[in-house]
Amino acid sequence: MTKNQTVLEGKVASRDTLRATPGGVATLNLTLIHQSTQREGRAEVAVEVEMNAVAFGELAEEMNSVKVGDNISIKGFLSRKNRFSPMPILHITQFKFS
Amino acid sequence: MTKNQTVLEGKVASRDTLRATPGGVATLNLTLIHQSTQREGRAEVAVEVEMNAVAFGELAEEMNSVKVGDNISIKGFLSRKNRFSPMPILHITQFKFS
């Protein structure tokens, strides 16, 4: 399988209510704010990123306990938001409170 | 260190010439197109994403051999593009031809 894996830890900046797709699949959208220091070559750089993320199905229902302000760690893959927007969004396949 | 790690494999869709920052650090910007199938819950989903990426310093010089159309695998961390744009960009810390 062509590699596409992201692990990102951060604070939940916003979250939507648990919704369902037209097909009835539970969907949870949230935004994660990440701040850290990362090594880049010989430098330590301050990093900030705000990432849109989405969970589907049972994972979305499980993540319904997540509140704004919670620190979580998510694992998943990057995908374009939809047909109309190339903005990358992180599809969550695993999460834990951190 | 707060986790922020991405591994992404894909085809180089575009690349800029090797530039230097005002401080004289080599900089290489490129765009990677990734297409794959990923497991999401019980489903296999078709995934496509176009990711902006940047390398600095010696790694940028090393990556100057990369051509449009090459398949590469990159490892790095996500960061907002700059002060003005929250668009996520992948800062490359390792790369290989794949």
Side-chain angles (χ1 to χ4, degrees):
Chain A
M1 192 184 295
T2 310
K3 278 179 272 177
N4 181 344
Q5 187 175 296
T6 292
V7 178
L8 190 67
E9 205 174 344
K11 191 185 286 281
V12 177
S14 64
R15 58 153 287 177
D16 290 356
T17 187
L18 190 67
R19 297 168 198 261
T21 64
V25 178
T27 308
L28 186 72
N29 279 277
L30 59 83
T31 308
L32 202 64
I33 288 189
H34 165 95
Q35 290 179 309
S36 69
T37 306
Q38 300 290 332
R39 173 156 287 277
E40 188 162 46
R42 291 171 191 156
E44 295 278 342
V45 294
V47 172
E48 187 178 321
V49 69
E50 194 167 326
M51 198 70 201
N52 295 316
V54 62
F56 293 101
E58 288 170 12
L59 185 61
E61 287 169 20
E62 195 185 329
M63 289 189 73
N64 198 21
S65 63
V66 170
K67 293 181 296 295
V68 169
D70 284 349
N71 286 299
I72 63 173
S73 176
I74 59 183
K75 189 171 171 176
F77 57 85
L78 297 168
S79 184
R80 61 183 294 149
K81 195 171 178 190
N82 54 47
R83 266 194 300 170
F84 310 106
S85 167
M87 187 83 176
I89 181 170
L90 181 56
H91 284 238
I92 307 169
T93 56
Q94 285 178 44
F95 100 101
K96 60 179 182 189
F97 290 98
S98 63
Chain B
M1 195 183 291
T2 311
K3 277 179 273 179
N4 181 344
Q5 188 176 294
T6 292
V7 178
L8 190 68
E9 205 173 343
K11 191 184 285 281
V12 178
S14 65
R15 56 153 289 176
D16 289 357
T17 187
L18 191 67
R19 296 169 198 261
T21 63
V25 179
T27 308
L28 186 72
N29 280 277
L30 60 84
T31 308
L32 202 65
I33 289 189
H34 165 95
Q35 289 178 309
S36 68
T37 307
Q38 301 290 330
R39 173 156 285 279
E40 188 161 47
R42 291 171 192 156
E44 295 278 342
V45 294
V47 172
E48 186 179 321
V49 70
E50 193 167 325
M51 198 71 202
N52 294 316
V54 61
F56 293 102
E58 288 169 13
L59 185 62
E61 287 168 22
E62 193 185 332
M63 290 188 73
N64 199 21
S65 63
V66 170
K67 293 181 295 294
V68 169
D70 284 348
N71 286 298
I72 61 173
S73 176
I74 58 184
K75 187 170 173 180
F77 59 85
L78 299 168
S79 184
R80 60 183 295 149
K81 195 171 177 190
N82 55 45
R83 266 194 299 170
F84 309 106
S85 167
M87 187 82 175
I89 181 170
L90 182 55
H91 284 239
I92 307 169
T93 56
Q94 286 178 41
F95 100 103
K96 59 179 182 191
F97 290 98
S98 64

